Structures are given as structure tokens and as C-alpha cells.
Amino acid sequence: MILSSTTLAAGAGSPVVAALSGAVTAALALLGIRHGRQVFAWMKKNRDTDDNAKDLDDADSYLKETFEKLCELAQKPCRAAHLAPLRRLRNLIKASADQLEVIRTELHDVTDHFEGYLATGLPQLTNPARVPQTELDTHMERAMKQEHARMELERAVSRAQQRIRFLRKA
């Protein structure tokens, strides 16, 4: 039985074709795994961005509310009772600072200024009918320090809001 050269060539080519087919399959599998990793990384990045966006929205709403309250209290000497509602906002902003790493510095700056402002609550006058001039001067000086602390807090809130706007655009 004599085999032709075509038959021999077809039989000899079979392992080469199988090897090439296996190499192509392996290359496609590696490309598929690589693409799957890229898609997974992209999805994780988007999920993290969405989570950060929600946290940034919360922090921004607290800052807006703080700014509105500060505008209401502008150029008004306030006692500690008037400043009490701001303590809730300070605590919310502090909690947001602990959650958000991207804006932690700015929010901690706001809470530090909050502490300074809340500490400036004015005491009651001893006898409003007849107050000595020295007590009035002391009261006026404390009111001016309180207004300065309010303005510093307002600036810190504004800086944090600008940082949030920048992060949203990025």
C-alpha cells in the first residue's frame, strides 16, 4: 500500500494545526480574562465614584444649611442658646469628614472653626436696666470676636463648597 504525498502532508499538518488552534484559543482566553478585569475595575471605579458622589451631596447639603444659618446670624450678637441648633450641623459635618477622605481636610477645618464660633456665645447681662460702661464695652468686644469667628467659619464653609464643586467636575 503506497501513500501519496498529499496524504502524508495532510496527516503531518494535523498536529501543527492543532497546536496553532490551541495557541489561538489560549490567546483569546487570556484576552478575555484581561478584558474582564478591565471591565470589573471600571465598574468598581464607577461604584466608588457614585458612593463618593452621594456622600459629597450629603456634605454639601450640610454646608449649605450651615451657610444659611450663618447668614441669618450675621451681625447679631448671639447667646449660647441661639447657637445651639448649629451643634447638630457641626456633628453632621464632622461625621461626613470621617467618611470622606477626598475632602477630609476641608471639613475638619470647618469643624475647627465651628468650635471656635460656638465657644463665643455671649453671657447674659447682669442687670439690663443699669449696666456699667465697662461691662458694655466687654460685651461689645465679645460680640465683635463672635462676628469675626462667624466670618472665619463662613470662609471655611465656602472653601469646602468650592472643593466639592471641583471634585464633582473632575
Side-chain angles (χ1 to χ4, degrees), residues 38-169:
Q38 289 174 342
V39 168
F40 180 72
W42 177 77
M43 287 173 49
K44 185 177 184 301
K45 179 184 162 210
N46 282 344
R47 185 176 59 243
D48 292 344
T49 301
D50 289 345
D51 291 344
N52 281 343
K54 183 188 175 304
D55 291 340
L56 284 174
D57 287 343
D58 291 344
D60 191 37
S61 69
Y62 302 146
L63 291 170
K64 283 180 185 177
E65 189 176 347
T66 300
F67 192 79
E68 290 171 2
K69 295 277 188 190
L70 291 174
C71 288
E72 289 173 13
L73 298 175
Q75 298 178 354
K76 292 181 188 175
C78 299
R79 293 186 171 63
H82 295 116
L83 300 178
L86 292 175
R87 294 185 194 285
R88 177 188 70 87
L89 289 170
R90 183 210 46 207
N91 292 336
L92 290 171
I93 291 172
K94 189 172 184 178
S96 293
D98 294 339
Q99 291 174 357
L100 286 168
E101 196 169 316
V102 293
I103 194 168
R104 180 173 292 157
T105 306
E106 288 83 359
L107 293 179
H108 276 300
D109 189 37
V110 169
T111 57
D112 291 343
H113 282 91
F114 243 126
E115 295 296 330
Y117 180 60
L118 293 174
T120 62
L122 299 175
Q124 290 282 60
L125 291 174
T126 54
N127 184 3
R130 187 139 192 190
V131 180
Q133 186 63 37
T134 56
E135 190 174 344
L136 281 176
D137 290 344
T138 305
H139 196 71
M140 180 63 84
E141 184 179 331
R142 289 186 74 172
M144 289 172 30
K145 286 180 181 178
Q146 183 182 61
E147 181 62 17
H148 178 72
R150 187 198 65 79
M151 289 172 29
E152 290 296 318
L153 175 57
E154 199 172 274
R155 285 189 198 108
V157 167
S158 180
R159 284 191 300 268
Q161 286 178 319
Q162 287 175 352
R163 177 77 172 140
I164 288 173
R165 281 192 290 272
F166 174 77
L167 289 172
R168 284 183 180 157
K169 288 180 183 178

Side-chain angles (χ1 to χ4, degrees), residues 5-24:
S5 63
T6 330
T7 311
L8 288 175
S14 172
V16 173
V17 171
L20 284 175
S21 173
V24 168

